[in-house]
């Protein structure tokens, strides 16, 4: 179930609004009050929607698709809450869901020529930076991926280099780099479930 107090490694960057949203959901679940839960979820939606939407616009093709990705992330959050999943930090969990939804979107549409970066100027997105630390991405990469897979993921997903250029640099002549990247993403999802106890 959702924890009463936020559990994360960066408590200094947790806002009072984050703590309020966490407690609202916790007490709604304890009271088994669906109306109370709806109010709590509306609070969460209003708190994080605009920021996620602005991020989505940098990750997907158009405004309509950006809104779909954001709504998918909120729907998955609501489902996780209703399924009584253990969530130590609602915001961190929501942003993690959003991250994977964006990746799923781009993989499904094979938009590999669009550079998928976490953000071009990460220092301008303090909240997004918090999310990246929250899921300890670097640690997860080391636990789950082989060195070559880490190289591909970092250079494509973070540095924004085209996959075909990465393929040439690594001299992967007989490899379908797009399928290989999809395999890397699936390994990361499985690893997130195993190491962070959160199925996405």
């Amino acid at each position: 179930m959702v924890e009463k107090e936020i559990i994360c490694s960066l408590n200094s960057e947790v806002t009072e609004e984050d703590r309020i949203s966490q407690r609202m959901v916790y007490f709604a679940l304890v009271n088994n009050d669906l109306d109370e839960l709806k109010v709590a979820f509306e609070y969460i939606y209003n708190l994080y929607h605009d920021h996620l939407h602005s991020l989505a616009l940098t990750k997907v093709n158009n405004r309509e698709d950006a809104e779909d990705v954001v709504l998918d992330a909120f729907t998955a959050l609501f489902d996780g809450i209703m399924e009584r999943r253990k969530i130590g930090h609602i915001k961190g969990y929501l942003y993690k869901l959003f991250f994977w939804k964006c990746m799923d979107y781009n993989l499904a549409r094979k938009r590999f020529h669009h550079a998928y970066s976490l953000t071009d100027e990460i220092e301008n997105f303090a909240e997004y930076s918090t999310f990246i630390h929250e899921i300890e991405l670097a640690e997860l990469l080391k636990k789950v991926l082989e060195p070559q897979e880490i190289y591909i993921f970092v250079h494509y997903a973070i540095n924004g280099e085209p996959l075909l250029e990465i393929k040439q640099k690594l001299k992967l002549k007989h490899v379908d780099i797009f399928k290989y990247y999809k395999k890397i993403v699936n390994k990361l999802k499985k690893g997130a479930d195993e190491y962070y106890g959160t199925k996405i």
Side-chain angles (χ1 to χ4, degrees):
M1 191 172 87
V2 173
E3 299 286 347
K4 180 180 178 182
E5 300 298 334
I6 290 174
I7 299 171
C8 76
S9 57
L10 294 169
N11 281 312
S12 62
E13 297 188 37
V14 173
T15 67
E16 188 57 32
E17 288 85 1
D18 297 335
R19 296 185 194 284
I20 290 169
S21 64
Q22 187 89 13
R23 291 184 196 124
M24 286 175 74
V25 173
Y26 171 81
F27 285 115
L29 293 173
V30 167
N31 297 335
N32 199 26
D33 189 326
L34 190 56
D35 289 333
E36 199 175 327
L37 185 58
K38 286 177 181 176
V39 170
F41 196 79
E42 186 177 347
Y43 181 85
I44 292 167
Y45 182 86
N46 291 333
L47 187 58
Y48 304 123
H49 174 274
D50 289 351
H51 185 242
L52 286 179
H53 189 262
S54 67
L55 289 172
L57 289 171
T58 71
K59 307 295 168 227
V60 300
N61 202 38
N62 56 54
R63 289 184 178 276
E64 226 174 77
D65 293 335
E67 186 60 26
D68 286 345
V69 166
V70 173
L71 290 176
D72 283 350
F74 276 105
T75 300
L77 170 65
F78 188 78
D79 290 344
I81 290 169
M82 294 303 290
E83 291 165 10
R84 301 295 199 271
R85 292 189 183 178
K86 186 173 182 180
I87 301 174
H89 186 192
I90 285 176
K91 179 182 176 182
Y93 182 70
L94 171 64
Y95 276 55
K96 182 164 64 171
L97 289 166
F98 168 78
F99 173 76
W100 295 122
K101 294 293 180 186
C102 286
M103 294 193 84
D104 282 344
Y105 171 91
N106 286 309
L107 285 167
R109 286 152 184 80
K110 297 184 178 177
R111 290 191 171 126
F112 300 103
H113 57 286
H114 286 198
Y116 184 95
S117 60
L118 294 180
T119 181
D120 294 329
E121 300 177 51
I122 197 125
E123 63 273 10
N124 293 335
F125 294 102
E127 289 181 90
Y128 200 50
S129 181
T130 299
F131 152 66
I132 293 167
H133 287 295
E134 177 64 29
I135 65 168
E136 298 169 315
L137 184 57
E139 183 184 342
L140 178 62
L141 292 177
K142 288 176 189 172
K143 286 178 178 176
V144 175
L145 302 180
E146 299 297 324
Q148 181 171 278
E149 294 171 334
I150 293 174
Y151 180 92
I152 292 169
F153 181 83
V154 169
H155 282 258
Y156 177 62
I158 298 176
N159 297 344
E161 294 178 26
L163 282 173
L164 291 176
E165 283 184 19
I166 295 169
K167 178 179 178 177
Q168 287 178 340
K169 283 182 187 176
L170 295 176
K171 298 179 181 175
L172 301 172
K173 291 183 181 178
H174 304 292
V175 173
D176 184 330
I177 193 67
F178 304 117
K179 286 183 180 177
Y180 192 20
Y181 183 74
K182 188 171 183 178
K183 177 184 169 187
I184 291 169
V185 171
N186 288 334
K187 282 180 76 173
L188 279 172
K189 288 184 180 184
K190 188 175 179 182
D193 182 21
E194 182 178 346
Y195 291 108
Y196 299 99
T198 309
K199 201 166 208 175
I200 294 176

